[in-house]
Amino acid sequence: MKKLVLLMLLAFSMLNSFAQIVKFSSTTPEAGQPLSFSYDPMGGKLERLANVKCDVYTYINNKFKLITVPLTKEGSTYKGSFTPVDSTAIAVLAFSADGTKDENPNGYYTLFYKDGKPTAMAYYWESQFYVGMGKAYSGANIDNAKALVAFENAFKADPKMRYTYLDRYMALKYSLDKVDGEKMIKNEIALLNKTSNLKEADMMKISSLYGVLRKKSAIDSVNSIIKAKYPKGVYAYGQAANAIFNEKDAAKKEEKLSALIKDFELDLQKKADAVKVSNFYLNIANAYGLAKNNAKFEEFTNKLDNKLSVASAYNTYAWAGAENKENLEFAAMISKKSLDLIEAAKNDPMPEYYNSKEEYLKGLESSYASYADTYAVLLDHMGKSAEALKFQEEAVNKNNFSSADMNVRYVSFLAKMGQKDKVVTFAERFIKDGQGNDALKADLKSVYAGTVPFDTYYAGLERIAIEKERAKFMKEMIDMPAPKFTLANLKGETVSLEKLKGKVVIVDYWATWCGPCIASFPGMQKAVDKYKNDPNVVFLFVNTWQTEENREKLVKDWVVANPNYTFNILLDTKNAKDPSKFDVIEQYKVEGIPTKFIVDGNGNIRFKKVGFSGSADITVKELDMMIALAKGSKEASK
């Protein structure tokens, strides 16, 4: 046995050469066969963190399956194993610990082989890894050149794949070399047009290729021909379906669905047609929910034959009632039904996308916790405090106290029921974990009976949280020169990053069309207000990726429509050679917005923060820590 273990360890092959290392037990793994791996977090964000977890994202042809792999630790190395199901093409590993995700420029993945070679689908998924999938799961750099090579390898392995993914392949070619790419795309369009007996799929491919070149008039022309020639074809059906989804009025959605069924001669007695139509039910139900039409909401929700889909729809509508304190009786009724459906689903066959029955039941527990939280809030609004506490207790226990919002509500319900000892116990715990907010502070203060002044006592709890956060953020610190820029703001003033040396500068990249950007702005405004009297902190909001011709007017109109935001908004400049790109954001190598950079007084980037944290309070807390650390360790320890 010892010899076997030694042989296994010797067989491990290194996946990448970055600081953190993943090694697989086979260089040519096959789907359906057990695969072991080791992971050394040395040099990465997880190096000193406990509770390291591994999720393996596997793709089976065009289906997705998540596998959560138990890890064992030997010294500083973690080990795990899993068995990918037959036809698995790729496995991408994602490591995390207590909310911190490991990120590696190379990522962690392996392709799966057959007869000693990666399968065609393995190469296809490798291309998707390099165009963004790897970035999402493990922080891998986007690399269009490598994605292109992977596509070409896929086409060599299976030449038929070239037609299927021609538009995606050409989009990559075009992104890397616009001149050559455009020539190749026009050549492909010409070849398709020469095809005898041109089919709808061929014409749709031509339209997609024009889409890569952004030739709107050509796209419209081809699409009109497709619709005229194939009035009941795939394109026409897609247009009719989109019209239903894009319609705002619930009754008109329903009318359009009836028209679609008639126009495309769908027979609801046939399973395939019934499935097609069922795809619209949830969308229409939600529209009736927004219109507060309870009867119609239930009518369309009950057309769904999946318990989990119905439960999710019920919870979404019920939560809207809980947030707005309206429609409480109906909202509470369907909220309770959502919980009953989750309980009933435990006896149903496990959906194929789960790896095990245990994983399925764990997912149901997570859903139950979320829905119980909704039900508890509704009960509280209805004055049923004891029952609300009962369901909130279920919620926080089932999700292992992982939601700060749920935890704060739990303490609130404990306070309402006069359970003072529990209020102190849980409030202290949550504050030390960095979940403190005004509501939690008020509930704790209402039952505090200590001899030390409350503010002193509370500051001590927060100090523990700050030290934990500080340790976490210190691991995320980087130190690289910030690309210099000089941009004009909306007032026509010139702002130079170079002239702001000596100050901590927060550079926030955004666009008016970016939902998460706008969602983050209440928190950003709170931060701007908090530091408005600090001469050593500057906030710059760089509008970018705004491609409209009237871009400046659009941004100014947005500012007028949102007078509560007092941001210094700069306009990123369009690239002279390629107007689809913007100069400054390209220098910063940003791949998605919102993205914030915290630049220290020496002009070096110390933090990069991608996305929106979910609440204004969390946004401010994160910025507080990053600004303090950027100012210097002495300031951060205050």
Side-chain angles (χ1 to χ4, degrees):
M1 183 65 183
K2 286 182 180 178
K3 287 183 180 179
L4 178 62
V5 172
L6 285 171
L7 287 171
M8 286 287 287
L9 289 172
L10 289 171
F12 276 114
S13 62
M14 191 168 76
L15 179 64
N16 62 64
S17 58
F18 195 63
Q20 312 98 296
I21 294 174
V22 165
K23 300 175 184 176
F24 288 109
S25 56
S26 172
T27 55
T28 57
E30 294 188 15
Q33 300 299 316
L35 181 64
S36 301
F37 64 87
S38 70
Y39 164 65
D40 187 348
M42 189 68 68
K45 290 183 180 179
L46 309 189
E47 180 180 347
R48 296 177 184 174
L49 298 184
N51 305 318
V52 173
K53 293 190 288 188
C54 177
D55 287 324
V56 179
Y57 297 87
T58 63
Y59 288 83
I60 305 96
N61 293 324
N62 284 312
K63 292 183 179 180
F64 160 78
K65 188 179 183 69
L66 172 65
I67 303 172
T68 300
V69 178
L71 298 177
T72 58
K73 190 175 183 183
E74 295 181 15
S76 63
T77 301
Y78 293 86
K79 295 181 179 178
S81 63
F82 63 99
T83 302
V85 300
D86 288 342
S87 300
T88 298
I90 193 173
V92 183
L93 279 60
F95 298 94
S96 63
D98 299 326
T100 298
K101 186 170 73 172
D102 191 0
E103 293 183 340
N104 186 312
N106 300 313
Y108 311 112
Y109 76 96
T110 185
L111 306 183
F112 287 93
Y113 289 63
K114 189 173 183 180
D115 301 326
K117 296 179 180 179
T119 64
M121 284 305 296
Y123 282 129
Y124 165 74
W125 281 111
E126 185 176 38
S127 74
Q128 299 310 292
F129 177 91
Y130 283 117
V131 296
M133 186 172 77
K135 179 76 175 176
Y137 293 150
S138 54
N141 289 339
I142 289 175
D143 192 325
N144 288 347
K146 286 184 178 178
L148 193 71
V149 171
F151 259 126
E152 289 167 350
N153 286 332
F155 301 158
K156 287 176 187 174
D158 181 1
K160 292 178 183 177
M161 286 182 74
R162 190 177 189 279
Y163 179 84
T164 304
Y165 299 111
L166 180 62
D167 44 353
R168 297 187 195 182
Y169 172 66
M170 286 298 167
L172 281 171
K173 279 274 190 187
Y174 186 68
S175 72
L176 292 165
D177 186 333
K178 292 214 166 9
V179 176
D180 253 10
E182 184 168 357
K183 285 179 184 175
M184 291 183 69
I185 289 169
K186 287 180 176 178
N187 184 55
E188 291 293 341
I189 291 171
L191 289 171
L192 284 166
N193 274 318
K194 288 178 182 176
T195 304
S196 59
N197 190 26
L198 199 66
K199 297 177 182 176
E200 182 184 16
D202 301 320
M203 298 177 75
M204 290 176 70
K205 192 68 69 178
I206 291 169
S207 177
S208 294
L209 290 170
Y210 277 127
V212 175
L213 298 176
R214 300 185 181 182
K215 304 285 187 182
K216 188 176 185 304
S217 59
I219 296 167
D220 293 342
S221 176
V222 174
N223 287 347
S224 64
I225 295 170
I226 296 172
K227 195 169 183 178
K229 191 172 182 181
Y230 300 97
K232 295 182 182 180
V234 174
Y235 175 76
Y237 181 86
Q239 291 294 101
N242 286 338
I244 296 171
F245 287 121
N246 293 332
E247 176 61 60
K248 301 297 182 186
D249 183 87
K252 289 179 180 177
K253 279 181 181 286
E254 188 175 353
E255 288 173 11
K256 288 181 177 180
L257 176 58
S258 297
L260 179 142
I261 293 169
K262 180 182 176 183
D263 293 345
F264 291 89
E265 300 174 358
L266 301 181
D267 183 353
L268 300 188
Q269 300 305 311
K270 294 179 179 177
K271 186 176 179 182
D273 287 353
V275 169
K276 274 186 178 181
V277 173
S278 70
N279 291 329
F280 300 99
Y281 292 152
L282 183 57
N283 181 262
I284 295 174
N286 287 336
Y288 275 120
L290 288 172
K292 299 180 176 61
N293 188 328
N294 295 345
K296 279 289 189 178
F297 169 80
E298 271 211 290
E299 176 190 332
F300 275 91
T301 303
N302 290 336
K303 288 176 182 288
L304 298 166
D305 59 4
N306 182 287
K307 290 187 181 74
L308 300 184
S309 296
V310 176
S312 176
Y314 280 161
N315 180 67
T316 300
Y317 190 26
W319 180 249
E323 277 194 309
N324 300 319
K325 296 185 180 180
E326 61 185 17
N327 201 19
L328 295 179
E329 292 290 341
F330 182 77
M333 183 267 289
I334 60 173
S335 181
K336 182 62 170 65
K337 281 187 176 181
S338 74
L339 296 175
D340 295 340
L341 285 166
I342 293 295
E343 285 295 323
K346 290 179 180 178
N347 299 316
D348 289 349
M350 179 185 77
E352 63 177 14
Y353 49 83
Y354 281 98
N355 196 46
S356 66
K357 184 74 172 181
E358 181 184 6
E359 191 178 284
Y360 171 56
L361 293 175
K362 189 177 178 181
L364 292 179
E365 287 284 278
S366 177
S367 295
Y368 189 97
S370 178
Y371 301 171
D373 175 57
T374 300
Y375 189 44
V377 174
L378 288 162
L379 290 169
D380 180 62
H381 289 334
M382 296 165 70
K384 300 178 181 180
S385 298
E387 205 175 349
L389 176 58
K390 172 191 166 187
F391 281 93
Q392 194 67 26
E393 201 150 44
E394 275 196 90
V396 293
N397 278 291
K398 284 184 184 295
N399 81 349
N400 199 28
F401 298 93
S402 61
S403 166
D405 288 340
M406 284 190 199
N407 293 342
V408 170
R409 282 192 281 274
Y410 178 48
V411 172
S412 175
F413 296 161
L414 287 171
K416 285 183 180 181
M417 292 304 298
Q419 297 190 25
K420 296 181 179 180
D421 289 345
K422 280 192 170 183
V423 169
V424 172
T425 299
F426 285 100
E428 284 187 349
R429 170 180 169 179
F430 300 148
I431 293 162
K432 288 176 183 177
D433 285 343
Q435 298 173 8
N437 64 12
D438 292 342
L440 200 57
K441 183 178 181 179
D443 283 327
L444 181 57
K445 189 173 184 178
S446 71
V447 300
Y448 180 65
T451 55
V452 176
F454 177 77
D455 287 345
T456 304
Y457 155 74
Y458 189 83
L461 299 175
E462 282 202 315
R463 196 173 298 115
I464 295 170
I466 289 169
E467 286 305 315
K468 286 182 181 178
E469 282 294 294
R470 184 174 181 275
K472 174 188 167 188
F473 275 96
M474 284 187 73
K475 289 188 178 70
E476 297 177 3
M477 285 188 83
I478 52 181
D479 191 4
M480 56 187 293
K484 298 173 184 177
F485 61 79
T486 300
L487 295 172
N489 65 15
L490 293 181
K491 297 176 183 178
E493 300 164 339
T494 299
V495 179
S496 166
L497 185 65
E498 175 72 14
K499 290 182 179 178
L500 292 173
K501 268 199 173 181
K503 303 176 187 292
V504 172
V505 183
I506 297 88
V507 183
D508 190 352
Y509 290 99
W510 72 288
T512 61
W513 51 259
C514 170
C517 300
I518 307 304
S520 73
F521 280 175
M524 293 305 295
Q525 184 62 52
K526 284 183 76 172
V528 168
D529 290 341
K530 182 171 183 176
Y531 289 95
K532 66 182 178 182
N533 295 320
D534 187 335
N536 294 314
V537 177
V538 177
F539 287 81
L540 302 177
F541 293 80
V542 180
N543 175 270
T544 190
W545 289 349
Q546 200 87 48
T547 57
E548 297 87 349
E549 288 184 11
N550 61 337
R551 178 256 192 122
E552 187 169 345
K553 181 181 182 302
L554 188 78
V555 177
K556 285 182 176 178
D557 288 347
W558 183 89
V559 171
V560 171
N562 295 275
N564 293 331
Y565 297 132
T566 60
F567 302 156
N568 186 4
I569 295 175
L570 315 184
L571 297 173
D572 196 357
T573 51
K574 285 187 178 181
N575 186 275
K577 293 182 179 178
D578 183 357
S580 68
K581 294 182 179 179
F582 287 77
D583 293 325
V584 177
I585 201 169
E586 284 287 318
Q587 292 178 56
Y588 277 74
K589 295 182 170 56
V590 173
E591 287 149 1
I593 54 176
T595 294
K596 298 169 186 61
F597 291 88
I598 285 69
V599 181
D600 68 15
N602 296 317
N604 294 320
I605 296 171
R606 303 317 305 269
F607 293 97
K608 177 183 178 181
K609 180 70 179 175
V610 181
F612 170 46
S613 301
S615 80
D617 287 339
I618 292 174
T619 296
V620 175
K621 280 186 178 181
E622 288 178 342
L623 284 168
D624 282 345
M625 185 57 66
M626 291 188 285
I627 289 168
L629 286 168
K631 283 184 174 182
S633 58
K634 185 175 181 181
E635 180 72 17
S637 64
K638 287 183 180 179

